[in-house]
C-alpha cells in the first residue's frame, strides 16, 4: 500500500499487504506431504488414489501454487461421476489463505479443464451446513438443482475412523 492510501478498516495500522503470484498445475504425488492442511492422513491417501485415476485420464487433480511451487489450494474434476459433465470435488484452500480468491482461481481452472475435454457443464455438491462455500459457488454462477445424501470416512486426530454422513446441495453451471 502506498503512503497516501488508507488502510482497510479490518487491518491494524501496522499491517502490510503482500501480493504473491500463483500458478495452477496438476497436483503430483510428491506434493502430498505439504498438503496436510487439506485433510487427515486418510484423506491424503484418498487423494493419492485419485492421482492414479488422473494418470488414466479419468480425473484432473489441480494445485494452485506459490512461486516456490508449494500448493496452497487443491481440488479435482471427476469425468466419470456425471454423464456429459465434469464434477468438481475435494476442493481445499490453505486455511490461512481462505477468502483471498484462491478457491475462485481453482474453480475457474477446473472449469477450463472441463471445457478442454469438450464438455459444457460443471457440477458439484456442497454440504448444506457449508453456506460460505455455497455462496462462493453461487457467485460463480452455479445453480442448485437438487439434494443428495453423501458419506465418507473421516479420521480423528487419534487415528480412529468414523463415517461422516451429510446432505449435499447439488449445483451446476453451464460453461
Amino acid at each position: 500500500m502506498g503512503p497516501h492510501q488508507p488502510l482497510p478498516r479490518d487491518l491494524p495500522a501496522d499491517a502490510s499487504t503482500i501480493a504473491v503470484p500463483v500458478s495452477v498445475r496438476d497436483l503430483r504425488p510428491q506434493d502430498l506431504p505439504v498438503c496436510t492442511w487439506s485433510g487427515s492422513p486418510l484423506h491424503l491417501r484418498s487423494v493419492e488414489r485419485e492421482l492414479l485415476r488422473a494418470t488414466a485420464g479419468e480425473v484432473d487433480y489441480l494445485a494452485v501454487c506459490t512461486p516456490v511451487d508449494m500448493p496452497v489450494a487443491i481440488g479435482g474434476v471427476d469425468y466419470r461421476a456425471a454423464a456429459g459433465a465434469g464434477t468438481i470435488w475435494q476442493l481445499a484452500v490453505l486455511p490461512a489463505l481462505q477468502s483471498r480468491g484462491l478457491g475462485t482461481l481453482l474453480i475457474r481452472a477446473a472449469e477450463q479443464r472441463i471445457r478442454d475435454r469438450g464438455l459444457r457443464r460443471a457440477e458439484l455438491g456442497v454440504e448444506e451446513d457449508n453456506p460460505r462455500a455455497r455462496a462462493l459457488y453461487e457467485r460463480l454462477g452455479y445453480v442448485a438443482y437438487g439434494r443428495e445424501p453423501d458419506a465418507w470416512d473421516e479420521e480423528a486426530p487419534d487415528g480412529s475412523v468414523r463415517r461422516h454422513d451429510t446432505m449435499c446441495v447439488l449445483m451446476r453451471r453451464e460453461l
Side-chain angles (χ1 to χ4, degrees):
M1 301 187 137
H4 301 291
Q5 294 175 327
L7 289 171
R9 290 179 194 222
D10 58 336
L11 291 177
D14 61 347
S16 297
T17 299
I18 299 171
V20 177
V22 295
S23 60
V24 178
R25 63 163 171 79
D26 290 325
L27 185 70
R28 301 181 297 240
Q30 60 266 36
D31 294 322
L32 295 180
V34 299
C35 292
T36 56
W37 50 265
S38 72
S40 69
L42 178 68
H43 170 73
L44 289 174
R45 287 191 299 274
S46 167
V47 172
E48 189 171 29
R49 285 190 301 275
E50 296 304 331
L51 293 178
L52 292 174
R53 291 183 62 210
T55 62
E58 296 176 9
V59 304
D60 281 320
Y61 218 106
L62 306 174
V64 176
C65 298
T66 66
V68 295
D69 207 30
M70 186 181 87
V72 291
I74 62 175
V77 181
D78 191 329
Y79 300 103
R80 304 275 173 127
T87 301
I88 299 172
W89 96 126
Q90 292 189 345
L91 300 175
V93 175
L94 180 70
L97 297 177
Q98 290 177 356
S99 298
R100 302 291 185 266
L102 297 172
T104 297
L105 178 63
L106 182 61
I107 292 166
R108 293 301 190 216
E111 291 171 345
Q112 186 58 53
R113 293 287 183 101
I114 293 167
R115 281 191 292 275
D116 291 347
R117 294 269 184 132
L119 302 171
R120 296 290 171 249
R121 190 174 74 249
E123 297 189 357
L124 55 82
V126 60
E127 288 184 84
E128 285 184 332
D129 64 355
N130 191 351
R132 192 168 171 222
R134 182 173 176 175
L136 168 65
Y137 304 140
E138 288 173 344
R139 278 194 309 275
L140 296 177
Y142 286 79
V143 176
Y145 69 91
R147 297 171 70 233
E148 180 177 89
D150 200 355
W152 54 85
D153 290 335
E154 285 187 331
E155 186 174 2
D158 68 1
S160 63
V161 176
R162 70 174 183 88
R163 195 73 175 161
H164 175 79
D165 292 298
T166 189
M167 182 62 72
C168 288
V169 176
L170 303 177
M171 302 182 81
R172 66 170 54 124
R173 178 176 184 264
E174 298 300 320
L175 302 176

